[in-house]
Amino acid sequence: MASSKRPMFTAESSESPPPSPRKRRMWLRESDEADGDMSIEDYLYACDGYRKTTALPRYPLPLIVRDLPPHLQGNRLAAIWGPLEQILSSFGIQEGHYFASIVCLEKFGYLPMSKIPTLRVEIKSDKTQKWSEIRNVLKKCLSDNAFPEVQVEIIHPDKCFLPSLFTIPSSHPSISIYNSIRDQLVELVDQRLRTAWLSMCIYKIGRTESVATFAVVVHVTPFAHCNWNLLKVDLEQMIRPRAPRGQIIGVEFLPALLTSANTSSEIITMFGRLLPNISRTPKMGMSVGVEGRASSGTLACFVDLTVGQKVHHGVLTNYHIIEPLENAPAQVKKQAALYGTGYFTSSDGTATKAIFPSEEDSKELQTIAATNVTQVQKEVTDARELKEMKEVMGDNTTAASNMLAHTQRVLKELQELKSITDTMPITLGKVLLSSGKLIGNNNMFIDWAFVELKRDAGNDWVGNKNILPERNSAVPPPSAYGVQSTYLYSHENPRPQGFSKMIPNSWYLKTGRSSRITTGICHGTEVFTNCAGQELSRYNTKGERIQTRNHITKAWIVIGKAGSGDPAQGDFCSPGDSGSAIIDNKTFIAGLLFGELTGLCGNKHNQVVGAGLVCCMDQVVADIENAATHRDRSGRVDGAPAKLTLT
């Protein structure tokens, strides 16, 4: 149990709470309110000294702000502002020292995403002892005035708990300490939380990088229950003897989702992130999917697989993007999960047909294109009628003529785009070989698929080759992460140089279907992930399901930054980015993105924050070449080894 219990601080408390958010949080975690079995959401709330709410469940911050529904708008609600302001004034909180609004709040990542009508009061003060009482009085006032459904939330916007994760260099002593006991730590976490934990690793954690401290962070499923204080104390007792004097490594628990990351100025505004997918030719970073399934992934790169005298032209993506459909025969799905699609057994029904863009993106693009063509056709008609009217009236027609010419140009662009979207989705090819749900050496995740380009268009697409993304000014360069290197993109030769491997502390760039171009740093050590759930079941190279301790797998993780000066954590990937090529500063492809660790505690830049889970490219290449190399019954190579190269 927690070593020392303190009551929650109140107006009657003899002990004043610390002003520092970090120290106040430590103070609260030793209180009775934070002890005992509870949900992760209630635990985080009990430990946050700068937030009070009446809403249940107590979703982690930040929350999405929406407009109130119509029945809560109007004069009746406006009339109660006077009493609410009087209540705040009676507690010494004067006008100009707070910001209050009545809005709807909701939280991404929690289902159902119900909108909660809430009186939200932002107070920038360390004097929080009476916040519970203020919250209750405000709630009673709302209920007494026929607004019982409106909840109350009081926060300090600059000090409430909004954690960001930051990478640690592999050479830092904290990494050595952690690595020396990580197996024991994860064993205890797995024993206590079973399938409720998602990942574990050491990071720097804080609102911004300058105030971040070292902690072992355990990501857990939403609404996971545990005696978090007891687990925290037990983990810290394992860490403390290994840490030298003055080195403090804490423990944090955060709710998260561990998922497969699977979705002219006027023209850009109309189509948004999907605009790059309007093409008759596949490209790096484009949307891909499977015929018969709506979900989306990303095309990594164009590759050639040479087996003997035969060269297969294809593209790489993830296995989980192109795995057999849900309605496929059970034996086919089992075979694919166990062994993937084999080069020498590809007729076993496990090979699916890949398309671009995915079915969901194709439908959305077709709808957007048709809607905008109809709208701009009307604008062309209106502009023509205005020009004709001015001609009849003898007015100057210059502005009207320019408007007509402009709308006609936009309409022509839209019609050209619509002619492409009408042909979507386009068949990319068929899976030639894939990893299945494989765990590689050292329990590292492997997730890949080789799609052979269809023959009737393969030559044209191969000619397209690999074109690297150019980093724009909005995307942080290596220097923003403290890395002394430059992204060696060249307009003269904008192609990747080859394959490499993930290196801790290095800067990486990716272009994905959903979040497009982002950058980040590879963490100084691997992250543990929990694959005990049925959906994430994995298999070893012999097709045996991973059991007991071995369901704990590892992967490289890439974390981005957001904001200048003193940054917070930024999104590196979003759902739909799975399959993206991870590109190093020398323009080599170092990894393949296969998943997203979505932290449900976001920051001022992001409602949620996605870090990228990556399998190392050298291991992917070796696995593909091994799968396509023929062996005799004794396992010896009896032909030319297969070779995978960039197109």
mmCIF file of all heavy atoms in Angstrom, residues 464-499:
data_model
loop_
_atom_site.group_PDB
_atom_site.id
_atom_site.type_symbol
_atom_site.label_atom_id
_atom_site.label_comp_id
_atom_site.label_asym_id
_atom_site.label_seq_id
_atom_site.Cartn_x
_atom_site.Cartn_y
_atom_site.Cartn_z
ATOM 1 N N ASN A 464 6.974 4.631 -62.616
ATOM 2 C CA ASN A 464 6.733 5.723 -61.676
ATOM 3 C C ASN A 464 7.786 5.738 -60.569
ATOM 4 O O ASN A 464 8.201 6.787 -60.108
ATOM 5 C CB ASN A 464 5.333 5.566 -61.074
ATOM 6 C CG ASN A 464 4.977 6.686 -60.135
ATOM 7 O OD1 ASN A 464 5.004 7.842 -60.515
ATOM 8 N ND2 ASN A 464 4.663 6.334 -58.908
ATOM 9 N N LYS A 465 8.195 4.544 -60.143
ATOM 10 C CA LYS A 465 9.232 4.341 -59.127
ATOM 11 C C LYS A 465 8.905 5.039 -57.813
ATOM 12 O O LYS A 465 7.774 5.434 -57.559
ATOM 13 C CB LYS A 465 10.599 4.766 -59.674
ATOM 14 C CG LYS A 465 11.061 3.916 -60.845
ATOM 15 C CD LYS A 465 12.498 4.210 -61.221
ATOM 16 C CE LYS A 465 12.943 3.303 -62.353
ATOM 17 N NZ LYS A 465 14.334 3.564 -62.760
ATOM 18 N N ASN A 466 9.906 5.156 -56.976
ATOM 19 C CA ASN A 466 9.725 5.729 -55.638
ATOM 20 C C ASN A 466 10.117 7.197 -55.617
ATOM 21 O O ASN A 466 11.255 7.537 -55.948
ATOM 22 C CB ASN A 466 10.594 4.966 -54.635
ATOM 23 C CG ASN A 466 10.207 3.506 -54.521
ATOM 24 O OD1 ASN A 466 9.097 3.176 -54.148
ATOM 25 N ND2 ASN A 466 11.129 2.617 -54.866
ATOM 26 N N ILE A 467 9.188 8.052 -55.227
ATOM 27 C CA ILE A 467 9.471 9.478 -55.097
ATOM 28 C C ILE A 467 9.342 9.850 -53.626
ATOM 29 O O ILE A 467 8.268 9.722 -53.026
ATOM 30 C CB ILE A 467 8.504 10.334 -55.946
ATOM 31 C CG1 ILE A 467 8.544 9.888 -57.410
ATOM 32 C CG2 ILE A 467 8.861 11.809 -55.804
ATOM 33 C CD1 ILE A 467 9.893 10.043 -58.066
ATOM 34 N N LEU A 468 10.428 10.304 -53.039
ATOM 35 C CA LEU A 468 10.441 10.654 -51.618
ATOM 36 C C LEU A 468 9.640 11.920 -51.355
ATOM 37 O O LEU A 468 9.566 12.809 -52.207
ATOM 38 C CB LEU A 468 11.878 10.878 -51.147
ATOM 39 C CG LEU A 468 12.767 9.649 -51.004
ATOM 40 C CD1 LEU A 468 14.211 10.075 -50.803
ATOM 41 C CD2 LEU A 468 12.304 8.787 -49.831
ATOM 42 N N PRO A 469 9.049 12.029 -50.175
ATOM 43 C CA PRO A 469 8.380 13.280 -49.805
ATOM 44 C C PRO A 469 9.398 14.370 -49.498
ATOM 45 O O PRO A 469 10.460 14.104 -48.925
ATOM 46 C CB PRO A 469 7.598 12.894 -48.550
ATOM 47 C CG PRO A 469 8.386 11.776 -47.946
ATOM 48 C CD PRO A 469 8.953 11.011 -49.115
ATOM 49 N N GLU A 470 9.081 15.578 -49.868
ATOM 50 C CA GLU A 470 9.932 16.717 -49.536
ATOM 51 C C GLU A 470 9.429 17.333 -48.241
ATOM 52 O O GLU A 470 8.241 17.637 -48.117
ATOM 53 C CB GLU A 470 9.906 17.754 -50.652
ATOM 54 C CG GLU A 470 10.822 18.942 -50.396
ATOM 55 C CD GLU A 470 10.860 19.920 -51.564
ATOM 56 O OE1 GLU A 470 10.103 19.706 -52.541
ATOM 57 O OE2 GLU A 470 11.638 20.887 -51.503
ATOM 58 N N ARG A 471 10.316 17.499 -47.275
ATOM 59 C CA ARG A 471 9.902 18.071 -45.995
ATOM 60 C C ARG A 471 9.566 19.543 -46.170
ATOM 61 O O ARG A 471 10.348 20.308 -46.730
ATOM 62 C CB ARG A 471 11.033 17.920 -44.958
ATOM 63 C CG ARG A 471 10.623 18.329 -43.532
ATOM 64 C CD ARG A 471 11.823 18.425 -42.609
ATOM 65 N NE ARG A 471 12.707 19.512 -43.003
ATOM 66 C CZ ARG A 471 12.502 20.797 -42.694
ATOM 67 N NH1 ARG A 471 11.428 21.147 -42.012
ATOM 68 N NH2 ARG A 471 13.356 21.712 -43.073
ATOM 69 N N ASN A 472 8.384 19.963 -45.692
ATOM 70 C CA ASN A 472 8.027 21.378 -45.762
ATOM 71 C C ASN A 472 8.323 22.062 -44.427
ATOM 72 O O ASN A 472 8.676 21.421 -43.441
ATOM 73 C CB ASN A 472 6.556 21.556 -46.159
ATOM 74 C CG ASN A 472 5.608 20.843 -45.197
ATOM 75 O OD1 ASN A 472 5.655 21.057 -43.994
ATOM 76 N ND2 ASN A 472 4.752 19.975 -45.738
ATOM 77 N N SER A 473 8.154 23.373 -44.395
ATOM 78 C CA SER A 473 8.545 24.156 -43.220
ATOM 79 C C SER A 473 7.705 23.836 -41.991
ATOM 80 O O SER A 473 8.113 24.114 -40.862
ATOM 81 C CB SER A 473 8.432 25.652 -43.538
ATOM 82 O OG SER A 473 7.105 25.986 -43.924
ATOM 83 N N ALA A 474 6.516 23.264 -42.196
ATOM 84 C CA ALA A 474 5.651 22.936 -41.059
ATOM 85 C C ALA A 474 6.058 21.643 -40.371
ATOM 86 O O ALA A 474 5.563 21.330 -39.287
ATOM 87 C CB ALA A 474 4.199 22.842 -41.529
ATOM 88 N N VAL A 475 6.943 20.881 -40.988
ATOM 89 C CA VAL A 475 7.365 19.586 -40.443
ATOM 90 C C VAL A 475 8.719 19.752 -39.760
ATOM 91 O O VAL A 475 9.680 20.204 -40.389
ATOM 92 C CB VAL A 475 7.464 18.530 -41.564
ATOM 93 C CG1 VAL A 475 7.953 17.205 -41.006
ATOM 94 C CG2 VAL A 475 6.106 18.358 -42.241
ATOM 95 N N PRO A 476 8.838 19.423 -38.467
ATOM 96 C CA PRO A 476 10.090 19.650 -37.733
ATOM 97 C C PRO A 476 11.293 18.947 -38.361
ATOM 98 O O PRO A 476 11.237 17.744 -38.631
ATOM 99 C CB PRO A 476 9.791 19.084 -36.341
ATOM 100 C CG PRO A 476 8.306 19.130 -36.210
ATOM 101 C CD PRO A 476 7.784 18.878 -37.594
ATOM 102 N N PRO A 477 12.385 19.680 -38.590
ATOM 103 C CA PRO A 477 13.617 19.077 -39.124
ATOM 104 C C PRO A 477 14.391 18.385 -38.013
ATOM 105 O O PRO A 477 14.008 18.465 -36.829
ATOM 106 C CB PRO A 477 14.379 20.298 -39.642
ATOM 107 C CG PRO A 477 13.960 21.401 -38.715
ATOM 108 C CD PRO A 477 12.527 21.133 -38.378
ATOM 109 N N PRO A 478 15.493 17.708 -38.336
ATOM 110 C CA PRO A 478 16.295 17.051 -37.286
ATOM 111 C C PRO A 478 16.722 18.003 -36.167
ATOM 112 O O PRO A 478 16.747 17.609 -34.995
ATOM 113 C CB PRO A 478 17.502 16.509 -38.067
ATOM 114 C CG PRO A 478 16.987 16.280 -39.448
ATOM 115 C CD PRO A 478 15.999 17.378 -39.693
ATOM 116 N N SER A 479 17.056 19.245 -36.517
ATOM 117 C CA SER A 479 17.536 20.189 -35.501
ATOM 118 C C SER A 479 16.489 20.471 -34.429
ATOM 119 O O SER A 479 16.830 20.783 -33.292
ATOM 120 C CB SER A 479 17.961 21.501 -36.168
ATOM 121 O OG SER A 479 16.875 22.073 -36.882
ATOM 122 N N ALA A 480 15.185 20.353 -34.767
ATOM 123 C CA ALA A 480 14.129 20.583 -33.784
ATOM 124 C C ALA A 480 14.131 19.522 -32.698
ATOM 125 O O ALA A 480 13.570 19.722 -31.623
ATOM 126 C CB ALA A 480 12.767 20.615 -34.477
ATOM 127 N N TYR A 481 14.765 18.396 -32.968
ATOM 128 C CA TYR A 481 14.865 17.298 -32.011
ATOM 129 C C TYR A 481 16.260 17.229 -31.387
ATOM 130 O O TYR A 481 16.582 16.264 -30.695
ATOM 131 C CB TYR A 481 14.555 15.971 -32.695
ATOM 132 C CG TYR A 481 13.150 15.870 -33.243
ATOM 133 C CD1 TYR A 481 12.850 16.285 -34.539
ATOM 134 C CD2 TYR A 481 12.116 15.364 -32.465
ATOM 135 C CE1 TYR A 481 11.563 16.189 -35.045
ATOM 136 C CE2 TYR A 481 10.825 15.259 -32.963
ATOM 137 C CZ TYR A 481 10.557 15.677 -34.253
ATOM 138 O OH TYR A 481 9.275 15.581 -34.758
ATOM 139 N N GLY A 482 17.096 18.225 -31.673
ATOM 140 C CA GLY A 482 18.451 18.211 -31.138
ATOM 141 C C GLY A 482 19.381 17.271 -31.855
ATOM 142 O O GLY A 482 20.431 16.901 -31.329
ATOM 143 N N VAL A 483 19.011 16.872 -33.078
ATOM 144 C CA VAL A 483 19.833 15.949 -33.859
ATOM 145 C C VAL A 483 20.642 16.752 -34.874
ATOM 146 O O VAL A 483 20.084 17.543 -35.647
ATOM 147 C CB VAL A 483 18.956 14.908 -34.592
ATOM 148 C CG1 VAL A 483 19.809 14.018 -35.485
ATOM 149 C CG2 VAL A 483 18.191 14.073 -33.572
ATOM 150 N N GLN A 484 21.931 16.566 -34.863
ATOM 151 C CA GLN A 484 22.820 17.308 -35.755
ATOM 152 C C GLN A 484 22.954 16.598 -37.099
ATOM 153 O O GLN A 484 23.950 15.954 -37.389
ATOM 154 C CB GLN A 484 24.201 17.495 -35.096
ATOM 155 C CG GLN A 484 24.147 18.199 -33.759
ATOM 156 C CD GLN A 484 23.495 19.571 -33.850
ATOM 157 O OE1 GLN A 484 23.812 20.359 -34.741
ATOM 158 N NE2 GLN A 484 22.584 19.853 -32.925
ATOM 159 N N SER A 485 21.909 16.688 -37.894
ATOM 160 C CA SER A 485 21.942 16.096 -39.226
ATOM 161 C C SER A 485 20.962 16.848 -40.110
ATOM 162 O O SER A 485 20.206 17.698 -39.646
ATOM 163 C CB SER A 485 21.583 14.600 -39.177
ATOM 164 O OG SER A 485 20.267 14.424 -38.695
ATOM 165 N N THR A 486 20.963 16.531 -41.387
ATOM 166 C CA THR A 486 20.106 17.193 -42.363
ATOM 167 C C THR A 486 19.408 16.137 -43.199
ATOM 168 O O THR A 486 19.981 15.088 -43.519
ATOM 169 C CB THR A 486 20.934 18.107 -43.284
ATOM 170 O OG1 THR A 486 21.646 19.052 -42.474
ATOM 171 C CG2 THR A 486 20.032 18.865 -44.259
ATOM 172 N N TYR A 487 18.147 16.404 -43.544
ATOM 173 C CA TYR A 487 17.410 15.506 -44.435
ATOM 174 C C TYR A 487 17.949 15.712 -45.842
ATOM 175 O O TYR A 487 17.769 16.769 -46.446
ATOM 176 C CB TYR A 487 15.923 15.818 -44.351
ATOM 177 C CG TYR A 487 15.043 14.972 -45.257
ATOM 178 C CD1 TYR A 487 15.227 13.593 -45.379
ATOM 179 C CD2 TYR A 487 13.997 15.548 -45.968
ATOM 180 C CE1 TYR A 487 14.412 12.821 -46.187
ATOM 181 C CE2 TYR A 487 13.163 14.780 -46.783
ATOM 182 C CZ TYR A 487 13.374 13.419 -46.886
ATOM 183 O OH TYR A 487 12.562 12.659 -47.694
ATOM 184 N N LEU A 488 18.621 14.708 -46.375
ATOM 185 C CA LEU A 488 19.363 14.844 -47.628
ATOM 186 C C LEU A 488 18.482 14.617 -48.855
ATOM 187 O O LEU A 488 18.831 13.882 -49.774
ATOM 188 C CB LEU A 488 20.545 13.872 -47.636
ATOM 189 C CG LEU A 488 21.554 14.071 -46.500
ATOM 190 C CD1 LEU A 488 22.656 13.026 -46.582
ATOM 191 C CD2 LEU A 488 22.145 15.482 -46.547
ATOM 192 N N TYR A 489 17.326 15.269 -48.850
ATOM 193 C CA TYR A 489 16.428 15.196 -50.006
ATOM 194 C C TYR A 489 17.027 15.989 -51.164
ATOM 195 O O TYR A 489 17.561 17.082 -50.980
ATOM 196 C CB TYR A 489 15.062 15.769 -49.641
ATOM 197 C CG TYR A 489 14.097 15.870 -50.797
ATOM 198 C CD1 TYR A 489 13.283 14.798 -51.135
ATOM 199 C CD2 TYR A 489 13.998 17.040 -51.549
ATOM 200 C CE1 TYR A 489 12.392 14.882 -52.190
ATOM 201 C CE2 TYR A 489 13.110 17.135 -52.610
ATOM 202 C CZ TYR A 489 12.309 16.045 -52.921
ATOM 203 O OH TYR A 489 11.434 16.143 -53.977
ATOM 204 N N SER A 490 16.929 15.438 -52.367
ATOM 205 C CA SER A 490 17.495 16.100 -53.540
ATOM 206 C C SER A 490 16.433 16.196 -54.633
ATOM 207 O O SER A 490 15.814 15.190 -55.002
ATOM 208 C CB SER A 490 18.699 15.306 -54.068
ATOM 209 O OG SER A 490 19.076 15.767 -55.348
ATOM 210 N N HIS A 491 16.224 17.400 -55.156
ATOM 211 C CA HIS A 491 15.280 17.576 -56.259
ATOM 212 C C HIS A 491 15.777 16.855 -57.509
ATOM 213 O O HIS A 491 14.978 16.383 -58.326
ATOM 214 C CB HIS A 491 15.095 19.065 -56.565
ATOM 215 C CG HIS A 491 14.311 19.792 -55.518
ATOM 216 N ND1 HIS A 491 12.942 19.749 -55.457
ATOM 217 C CD2 HIS A 491 14.720 20.568 -54.483
ATOM 218 C CE1 HIS A 491 12.529 20.478 -54.430
ATOM 219 N NE2 HIS A 491 13.579 20.987 -53.823
ATOM 220 N N GLU A 492 17.102 16.759 -57.649
ATOM 221 C CA GLU A 492 17.671 16.099 -58.824
ATOM 222 C C GLU A 492 17.477 14.584 -58.759
ATOM 223 O O GLU A 492 17.311 13.924 -59.780
ATOM 224 C CB GLU A 492 19.169 16.415 -58.956
ATOM 225 C CG GLU A 492 19.479 17.875 -59.315
ATOM 226 C CD GLU A 492 19.233 18.827 -58.157
ATOM 227 O OE1 GLU A 492 19.347 18.384 -56.985
ATOM 228 O OE2 GLU A 492 18.894 20.001 -58.413
ATOM 229 N N ASN A 493 17.494 14.030 -57.548
ATOM 230 C CA ASN A 493 17.328 12.586 -57.398
ATOM 231 C C ASN A 493 16.482 12.296 -56.154
ATOM 232 O O ASN A 493 16.989 11.868 -55.118
ATOM 233 C CB ASN A 493 18.691 11.896 -57.280
ATOM 234 C CG ASN A 493 18.558 10.384 -57.165
ATOM 235 O OD1 ASN A 493 17.589 9.793 -57.635
ATOM 236 N ND2 ASN A 493 19.532 9.751 -56.522
ATOM 237 N N PRO A 494 15.171 12.540 -56.247
ATOM 238 C CA PRO A 494 14.303 12.403 -55.063
ATOM 239 C C PRO A 494 13.865 10.967 -54.806
ATOM 240 O O PRO A 494 12.685 10.690 -54.613
ATOM 241 C CB PRO A 494 13.117 13.293 -55.437
ATOM 242 C CG PRO A 494 13.001 13.127 -56.918
ATOM 243 C CD PRO A 494 14.417 12.973 -57.432
ATOM 244 N N ARG A 495 14.825 10.042 -54.808
ATOM 245 C CA ARG A 495 14.501 8.636 -54.628
ATOM 246 C C ARG A 495 15.255 8.075 -53.416
ATOM 247 O O ARG A 495 16.371 8.495 -53.128
ATOM 248 C CB ARG A 495 14.869 7.827 -55.880
ATOM 249 C CG ARG A 495 14.244 8.388 -57.152
ATOM 250 C CD ARG A 495 14.423 7.413 -58.314
ATOM 251 N NE ARG A 495 14.033 8.024 -59.581
ATOM 252 C CZ ARG A 495 12.781 8.201 -59.982
ATOM 253 N NH1 ARG A 495 11.801 7.833 -59.196
ATOM 254 N NH2 ARG A 495 12.506 8.753 -61.146
ATOM 255 N N PRO A 496 14.647 7.116 -52.717
ATOM 256 C CA PRO A 496 15.350 6.497 -51.589
ATOM 257 C C PRO A 496 16.604 5.768 -52.056
ATOM 258 O O PRO A 496 16.645 5.218 -53.165
ATOM 259 C CB PRO A 496 14.310 5.525 -51.011
ATOM 260 C CG PRO A 496 13.334 5.293 -52.110
ATOM 261 C CD PRO A 496 13.307 6.540 -52.926
ATOM 262 N N GLN A 497 17.618 5.761 -51.204
ATOM 263 C CA GLN A 497 18.920 5.202 -51.570
ATOM 264 C C GLN A 497 19.010 3.693 -51.380
ATOM 265 O O GLN A 497 19.904 3.058 -51.921
ATOM 266 C CB GLN A 497 20.019 5.875 -50.734
ATOM 267 C CG GLN A 497 20.102 7.382 -50.943
ATOM 268 C CD GLN A 497 20.353 7.729 -52.393
ATOM 269 O OE1 GLN A 497 21.366 7.321 -52.962
ATOM 270 N NE2 GLN A 497 19.444 8.476 -53.006
ATOM 271 N N GLY A 498 18.094 3.137 -50.604
ATOM 272 C CA GLY A 498 18.148 1.700 -50.338
ATOM 273 C C GLY A 498 17.478 1.403 -49.014
ATOM 274 O O GLY A 498 16.685 2.196 -48.495
ATOM 275 N N PHE A 499 17.791 0.243 -48.433
ATOM 276 C CA PHE A 499 17.240 -0.162 -47.150
ATOM 277 C C PHE A 499 18.297 0.003 -46.054
ATOM 278 O O PHE A 499 19.493 -0.152 -46.292
ATOM 279 C CB PHE A 499 16.796 -1.627 -47.191
ATOM 280 C CG PHE A 499 15.703 -1.907 -48.182
ATOM 281 C CD1 PHE A 499 15.871 -2.870 -49.172
ATOM 282 C CD2 PHE A 499 14.505 -1.222 -48.128
ATOM 283 C CE1 PHE A 499 14.866 -3.144 -50.077
ATOM 284 C CE2 PHE A 499 13.485 -1.481 -49.036
ATOM 285 C CZ PHE A 499 13.666 -2.439 -50.016
#
